[in-house]
Structures are given as C-alpha cells and as structure tokens.
Amino acid sequence: RQSAPDTAAQSRSSLGQADREQPGKMQQQQQRNYDSVRAFAAIGGDGASGTARILGSGCAGVTELFLFHPTDTIAKRLMSNTKTVYVGGDMKATMANANQVIFRDAA
C-alpha cells in the first residue's frame, strides 16, 4: 500500500504528462480566441479599438457623474445621520426629514 503523498505525486505527474501529450479543450479554446484577436487586428481593429476606448471611457464618466456619485453621497449622508428619518404613519414628515438629511443646507 502506498502512502497518500506518493499517490498524490503520481496523479500530478500523470495529469501533467497527459496535458503535454495532447492539448486539452481549454488550450484549444485559448488558441481560437488568440486567432480571433489576430484576425480582428488584421482587418483594421486598431482604429475601432481607439473609438471603443473613447466611447467606453465617456460612458464610464457619465455613469460615475449621474449614477454612482449621487447614490454614494446619499448613502453616506444617511449613514452619518443621527436623527430619525422615518415617522410612522406620517409620510409628509418622513419626506421632510429625508430631504433635510439628503440635501442638508439646500433643504
């Protein structure tokens, strides 16, 4: 009977040997992906890539300004608030409290 470390070492060496003998599906997929990227670059992919970078960074900036920043600011103001915002049964008072917390000096 073999000890556990010897068995594990043999299984690792046999797996490595099988991978070297015949490329696996993962390696074939990686090669196809690499070939696709090379084909894209050959048909003028570099110009489209520059446009994509500009549009992508523009979309990221707009999303930051109009979605993430306000949401983050409201969340931080609500977390740092010490007053009670919710008034049970009185929606008008609850909204007034929320407006004071969210908009601070502007409310």
Side-chain angles (χ1 to χ4, degrees), residues 51-72:
T51 304
R53 287 178 182 169
I54 298 296
L55 290 175
S57 62
C59 288
V62 168
T63 303
E64 169 77 22
L65 287 173
F66 292 108
L67 184 69
F68 177 75
H69 182 69
T71 305
D72 188 49

Side-chain angles (χ1 to χ4, degrees), residues 63-98:
T63 303
E64 169 77 22
L65 287 173
F66 292 108
L67 184 69
F68 177 75
H69 182 69
T71 305
D72 188 49
T73 302
I74 291 169
K76 286 178 181 177
R77 287 182 181 183
L78 287 171
M79 285 188 287
S80 67
N81 178 42
T82 55
K83 296 188 292 184
T84 302
V85 174
Y86 178 72
V87 179
D90 191 1
M91 187 62 145
K92 205 172 209 179
T94 299
M95 291 307 294
N97 290 342

Side-chain angles (χ1 to χ4, degrees), residues 14-26:
S14 65
L15 286 174
Q17 188 177 23
D19 287 342
R20 284 187 294 267
E21 290 173 2
Q22 179 182 7
K25 288 185 179 183
M26 180 69 99

